[in-house]
């Protein structure tokens, strides 16, 4: 229960206990101000909406940094979140009190990312998502009553269909990359592993007898520094065993004959025998290769994964199997990316219905009386 009475120094004082039971005191010069504050505090406490006055003074940057450092983000994600907030959000909202930021200001910022700073719609949405996470956490902590991100309209992302590499293009890439990376290109297109999963493979993960590759880790660059580190795959479903075709297995055997490695050794290493990571591979190996075979400039190593998915779909594999091979969280994700590659099924649907109900259609056909001869 909040109460207002005459406090020390002839000032009016509001005393109450917050949601955690700690006693709070606030002083006012006039009784009317104290009574009004006491009523607000009591109402907020009863509704579970009380916010400590000290928390109301915290800035967006102060709270966002506190939130960011507590998140269980992996290296790459942590670096991405830090960079996004530092470059895109803090220059606009960093010094503002968290409770003072209004929905209209968030809307203007998001719109400006596209129309003024010329960000792509997807980049603007990603930036907005991180700011929204900060405010959602602030709501859960009781620092703000509601998020100003609620109801903000985000730019729509144009639909683009994945155009997978053909088998010929994969072959061309394998022929122009340095010899030590040819098997990596073939393995990527023949198993659909993500780039980080490819770089994280050790010899022990290849089962030539059972003709499978085990995915249980990935290799990522150390955020903000040099070197790499081993970390778990992207999601729980990313832990998987992927079949090795004969062509892929032969390519890996030839690779190990030319670049011997054993047990805990990484399967793919640079000229100095060191593990490699995606950014260096992209700049030094991949970009020159796609230029040589005249592929579009934006084609990334992920294109090998798309090529694998398209091969499975063309071979008639179900959505469930494709999702399992790719390590997707669920089949819906697979359909969202590759739905345009699945063959049209209208004719199969019609044929299935006609087959199932063909006999019924014959039974329901109207009887036509036979004509007698005159």
């Amino acid at each position: 229960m909040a109460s207002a009475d005459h406090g020390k120094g002839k000032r009016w004082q509001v005393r109450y206990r917050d949601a955690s039971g700690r006693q709070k005191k606030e002083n006012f010069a006039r009784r009317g101000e104290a009574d009004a504050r006491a009523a607000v505090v009591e109402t907020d406490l009863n509704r579970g909406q009380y916010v400590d006055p000290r928390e109301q003074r915290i800035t967006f940057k102060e709270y966002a940094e506190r939130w960011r450092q507590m998140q269980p983000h992996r290296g790459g994600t942590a670096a991405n979140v830090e960079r996004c907030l530092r470059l895109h959000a803090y220059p606009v909202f960093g010094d503002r009190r968290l409770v003072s930021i209004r929905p209209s200001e968030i809307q203007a910022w998001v719109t400006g990312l596209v129309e003024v700073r010329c960000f792509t719609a997807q980049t603007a949405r990603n930036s907005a998502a991180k700011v929204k996470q900060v405010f959602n956490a602030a709501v859960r902590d009781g620092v703000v009553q509601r998020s100003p991100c609620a109801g903000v309209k985000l730019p729509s992302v144009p639909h683009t269909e994945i155009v997978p590499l053909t088998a010929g293009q994969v072959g061309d890439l394998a022929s122009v990359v340095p010899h030590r990376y040819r098997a990596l290109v073939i393995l990527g297109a023949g198993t659909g592993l993500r780039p980080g999963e490819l770089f994280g493979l050790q010899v022990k993960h290849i089962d030539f007898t059972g003709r499978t590759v085990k995915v249980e880790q990935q290799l990522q660059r150390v955020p903000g520094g040099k070197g790499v580190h081993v970390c778990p795959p992207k999601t729980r479903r990313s832990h998987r065993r992927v079949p090795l075709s004969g062509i892929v297995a032969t390519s890996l055997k030839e690779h190990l004959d030319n670049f011997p490695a054993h047990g805990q050794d990484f399967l793919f290493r640079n000229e100095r025998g060191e593990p490699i990571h995606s950014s260096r591979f992209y700049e030094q190996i991949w970009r020159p290769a796609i230029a040589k075979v005249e592929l579009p400039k934006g084609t990334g190593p992920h294109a090998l994964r798309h090529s694998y998915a398209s091969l499975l779909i063309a071979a008639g594999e179900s959505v469930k199997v494709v999702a399992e091979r790719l390590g997707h969280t669920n089949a819906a994700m697979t359909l969202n990316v590759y739905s345009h590659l699945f063959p049209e099924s209208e004719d199969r649907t019609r044929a299935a219905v006609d087959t199932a109900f063909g006999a019924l259609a014959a039974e329901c056909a109207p009887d036509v009386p036979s004509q007698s001869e005159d």
Side-chain angles (χ1 to χ4, degrees):
M1 176 71 70
S3 62
D5 61 12
H6 207 274
K8 185 177 180 181
K10 295 185 178 181
R11 300 177 65 192
W12 291 91
Q13 188 176 78
V14 177
R15 298 194 301 271
Y16 58 92
R17 292 188 180 276
D18 64 16
S20 62
R22 291 175 296 186
Q23 185 169 345
K24 301 287 184 179
K25 298 178 181 179
E26 298 180 37
N27 297 319
F28 297 88
R30 297 180 177 82
R31 177 171 182 172
E33 295 174 348
D35 289 340
R37 176 58 178 165
V40 169
V41 169
E42 184 170 354
T43 299
D44 288 345
L45 286 170
N46 290 335
R47 292 178 177 177
Q49 297 177 344
Y50 170 77
V51 178
D52 191 312
R54 291 174 299 182
E55 293 283 4
Q56 293 181 341
R57 293 192 290 270
I58 192 171
T59 66
F60 176 83
K61 182 177 180 179
E62 289 171 341
Y63 185 84
E65 284 297 290
R66 189 169 74 189
W67 166 83
R68 181 180 66 81
Q69 293 169 12
M70 292 188 297
Q71 300 310 302
H73 291 150
R74 295 176 181 173
T77 302
N80 178 266
V81 170
E82 187 278 332
R83 183 176 183 276
C84 175
L85 291 173
R86 173 170 50 85
L87 296 180
H88 307 154
Y90 292 163
V92 179
F93 302 118
D95 295 332
R96 292 280 304 280
R97 287 193 305 151
L98 199 68
V99 296
S100 72
I101 299 173
R102 296 173 294 181
S104 59
E105 293 173 308
I106 297 291
Q107 182 68 73
W109 170 69
V110 172
T111 302
L113 289 178
V114 176
E115 297 185 356
V116 178
R117 302 188 64 182
C118 300
F119 285 15
T120 65
Q122 187 60 62
T123 301
R125 292 176 72 96
N126 291 341
S127 299
K130 293 172 178 59
V131 171
K132 183 177 181 179
Q133 287 178 309
V134 173
F135 276 108
N136 286 346
V139 171
R140 291 193 297 270
D141 281 344
V143 179
V144 296
Q145 293 185 13
R146 59 175 59 90
S147 169
C149 297
V152 169
K153 296 180 180 179
L154 302 178
S156 58
V157 178
H159 177 69
T160 56
E161 294 184 345
I162 296 296
V163 180
L165 298 178
T166 65
Q169 290 171 326
V170 172
D172 291 341
L173 283 169
S175 67
V176 298
V177 297
H179 192 202
R180 66 173 55 249
Y181 300 118
R182 290 180 183 177
L184 187 149
V185 172
I186 295 172
L187 181 63
T191 61
L193 270 61
R194 300 177 177 92
E197 295 170 346
L198 290 170
F199 302 138
L201 284 178
Q202 295 170 304
V203 178
K204 66 178 182 178
H205 296 134
I206 309 299
D207 180 1
F208 286 107
T209 303
R211 288 174 57 177
T212 61
V213 56
K214 183 179 182 181
V215 181
E216 62 179 6
Q217 63 188 37
Q218 62 174 323
L219 204 66
Q220 295 290 340
R221 186 178 183 181
V222 175
K226 297 180 180 180
V228 296
H229 69 108
V230 174
C231 57
K234 186 175 182 179
T235 66
R236 182 176 62 85
R237 290 292 184 90
S238 296
H239 292 263
R240 63 198 188 278
R241 286 186 181 272
V242 182
L244 283 179
S245 70
I247 293 175
V248 176
T250 299
S251 176
L252 290 178
K253 289 178 181 178
E254 293 176 352
H255 174 79
L256 290 173
D257 288 340
N258 293 313
F259 308 97
H262 308 278
Q264 302 285 340
D265 295 337
F266 286 104
L267 193 60
F268 301 108
R269 296 165 290 170
N270 61 21
E271 294 78 1
R272 296 183 296 275
E274 301 168 340
I276 55 178
H277 57 76
S278 57
S279 59
R280 180 169 297 173
F281 176 81
Y282 179 77
E283 292 296 333
Q284 299 180 357
I285 309 300
W286 184 264
R287 286 182 65 180
I290 63 172
K292 287 180 181 178
V293 298
E294 299 182 346
L295 288 175
K297 188 175 180 181
T299 303
H302 222 76
L304 299 174
R305 179 170 166 86
H306 298 323
S307 179
Y308 175 73
S310 69
L311 292 175
L312 296 187
I313 293 169
E317 291 284 16
S318 68
V319 179
K320 182 176 182 295
V321 169
V322 177
E324 289 175 351
R325 297 285 186 265
L326 295 175
H328 281 169
T329 302
N330 50 52
M333 179 183 295
T334 307
L335 280 174
N336 186 49
V337 178
Y338 300 112
S339 60
H340 63 289
L341 297 180
F342 283 88
E344 297 295 335
S345 60
E346 285 88 347
D347 289 338
R348 289 201 300 270
T349 299
R350 297 185 188 101
V353 173
D354 286 341
T355 300
F357 295 105
L360 178 61
E363 293 176 2
C364 295
D367 294 332
V368 179
S370 59
Q371 295 181 354
S372 59
E373 295 181 359
D374 289 338

